[in-house]
Amino acid sequence: MTRVAFYGSSLLSSYWNGAATYYRGIVKAMSRHGFDVTFHEPDAYDRQSHRDIEVPDWVRVNVWPATPEGLRDAAAQAANADIVVKASGVGYADDEILTQVMAAARPGALRIFWDVDAPATLAAMQQDPGDALRRMLPDLDVVLTYGGGDPVVRAYRDLGARDCVPIYNALDPDTHHPAPPQDRFRADLGFLANRLPDREARVAEFFLRPAAMLPQRRFLLGGSGWNQGDLPGNVNAIGHVGTADHNAFNTTPRAVLNVARDSMAATGFSPATRVFEAAGAGGCLITDAWEGIELFLTPDKEVLVARDGQDVADALADLTPERSQAIGQAALKRVLAEHTYDRRAIQLRDLLHRMRPEILTEEAQ
């Protein structure tokens, strides 16, 4: 099998780690298409004590100490791989990980940077000509991104990347699927997101403002960092929600909300994992407006699109249980047909085969 050394934030824990669902989906699908993946993640940010899953049978996981010695030992293992992947946003010594794993990669191995937050990564490179990734771009075989579309592709090429290809977020139907509702998640609108500075103003507009406008409706807020005392009285903040509970969270409320971070909304073509989680559960999704949504779900049929908090409030006021169910079922049908991680893995396999056919085993072809 084609051996892959994948260096990312965490596959085992979604705690302060929004990329966990993406990593799990794409790596699991890769394993079905002939890739033997070892995922290298640092023991950082208390993630290991908040694991959502134990090591599954479709991947090897190396949890390494978040120390210079731990990094050195983990990076050295890149020498055993046919494909070496460094993801963005590891959160510990990102520049050093990139430098060391690519230096350790054997001659002939494919070297890939996989960007799970392209707007932030591009902004950092554009502001700093000495940025480590920017210096190394011409030496990498390809940049993969989980969103961004043509604007991100052009930006990466302008900075010196040989090529840039989006491998969009998707659905793992084995993990995210319809589930029985749970009373603890009953609400008119559910929203699941960690509190982050570049999302806060949009959360205030798209979630907190509608809650204030509709005091008779129930709003549910899941994720880390929210203080109940700062919220309207009809908003119930329940803290971190593990991935095992996401299906019930997405299925139970009348609707669930997606709010892009500022940079993702501005860039467009960046569907969050939450979009596919909600659709995969058959939930009725309301999303803030961003360019490219129609590539993934059809507005007013498979998703409701809001330009501001007033639109969210209006959508909730008009949303009957019957329409909520119809939108959720239409979204589920669409993502199962077009947006599964298995389809993304086939796209990746075909891309790598065109780039370096000799590096793929028969199982991966």
Side-chain angles (χ1 to χ4, degrees):
M1 297 180 77
T2 301
R3 296 164 298 175
V4 181
F6 199 126
Y7 295 80
S9 53
S10 180
L11 184 135
L12 301 178
S13 176
S14 65
Y15 187 68
W16 286 106
N17 177 35
T21 296
Y22 181 68
Y23 289 147
R24 294 169 189 175
I26 196 67
V27 171
K28 180 180 178 182
M30 288 171 67
S31 74
R32 289 198 292 262
H33 290 277
F35 295 92
D36 180 7
V37 181
T38 300
F39 195 97
H40 300 269
E41 61 181 73
D43 187 357
Y45 299 101
D46 209 24
R47 289 178 180 137
Q48 297 306 315
S49 64
H50 291 83
R51 286 188 180 186
D52 299 291
I53 60 172
E54 293 305 315
V55 179
D57 59 8
W58 37 263
V59 66
R60 296 181 181 88
V61 178
N62 172 37
V63 179
W64 50 275
T67 64
E69 295 76 19
L71 167 54
R72 181 194 62 219
D73 293 343
Q77 296 187 43
N80 301 320
D82 304 300
I83 300 171
V84 177
V85 176
K86 162 63 173 72
S88 68
V90 174
Y92 171 81
D94 272 274
D95 289 349
E96 290 80 2
I97 297 172
L98 176 67
T99 302
Q100 292 189 37
V101 301
M102 295 307 169
R106 65 172 178 80
L110 269 173
R111 293 164 169 81
I112 297 173
F113 181 75
W114 204 318
D115 198 344
V116 297
D117 190 355
T121 307
L122 287 166
M125 286 192 291
Q126 289 161 349
Q127 292 166 11
D128 180 10
D131 180 270
L133 173 60
R134 183 170 177 172
R135 294 197 312 269
M136 292 185 67
L137 278 179
D139 298 322
L140 302 175
D141 291 288
V142 67
V143 174
L144 304 178
T145 72
Y146 91 163
D150 288 343
V152 164
V153 170
R154 289 194 299 270
Y156 259 110
R157 289 174 176 169
D158 288 346
L159 286 167
R162 298 183 191 178
D163 201 3
C164 175
V165 180
I167 305 291
Y168 288 113
N169 278 327
L171 170 70
D172 175 3
D174 295 334
T175 303
H176 294 103
H177 47 73
Q182 296 185 15
D183 286 342
R184 60 181 173 142
F185 296 141
R186 292 202 182 278
D188 292 287
L189 184 66
F191 178 49
L192 189 61
N194 293 327
R195 190 174 191 172
L196 296 171
D198 70 342
R199 182 190 277 134
E200 196 146 358
R202 295 178 67 80
V203 171
E205 173 63 31
F206 286 90
F207 184 72
L208 299 182
R209 182 179 170 217
M213 295 170 66
L214 300 171
Q216 75 282 11
R217 299 297 184 100
R218 292 180 294 174
F219 290 73
L220 184 66
L221 177 59
S224 301
W226 303 103
N227 182 355
Q228 182 71 61
D230 297 335
L231 303 171
N234 60 336
V235 174
N236 180 22
I238 59 174
H240 176 67
V241 179
T243 52
D245 293 320
H246 284 192
N247 291 324
F249 187 98
N250 287 316
T251 300
T252 305
R254 180 76 58 89
V256 289
L257 180 69
N258 173 66
V259 178
R261 289 166 37 218
D262 294 347
S263 56
M264 292 290 191
T267 302
F269 303 93
S270 298
T273 54
R274 305 286 183 233
V275 170
F276 297 106
E277 286 186 11
C284 175
L285 178 68
I286 302 174
T287 183
D288 58 336
W290 42 272
E291 187 178 1
I293 177 64
E294 67 281 352
L295 296 180
F296 306 96
L297 294 169
T298 302
D300 295 324
K301 179 182 177 183
E302 298 161 343
V303 64
L304 297 174
V305 179
R307 297 162 298 177
D308 54 25
Q310 181 68 60
D311 279 357
V312 175
D314 291 345
L316 284 177
D318 294 338
L319 189 62
T320 64
E322 294 75 18
R323 186 163 190 240
S324 169
Q325 184 176 23
I327 291 171
Q329 289 303 305
L332 174 60
K333 182 178 179 180
R334 173 77 178 273
V335 296
L336 286 174
E338 299 181 17
H339 301 300
T340 63
Y341 279 113
D342 194 66
R343 283 181 170 267
R344 305 294 193 249
I346 292 171
Q347 177 193 359
L348 174 64
R349 180 200 64 190
D350 293 347
L351 169 68
L352 300 181
H353 185 260
R354 290 193 299 271
M355 293 175 58
R356 199 78 60 81
E358 72 278 7
I359 213 167
L360 300 185
T361 61
E362 286 188 12
E363 296 94 332
Q365 293 180 19

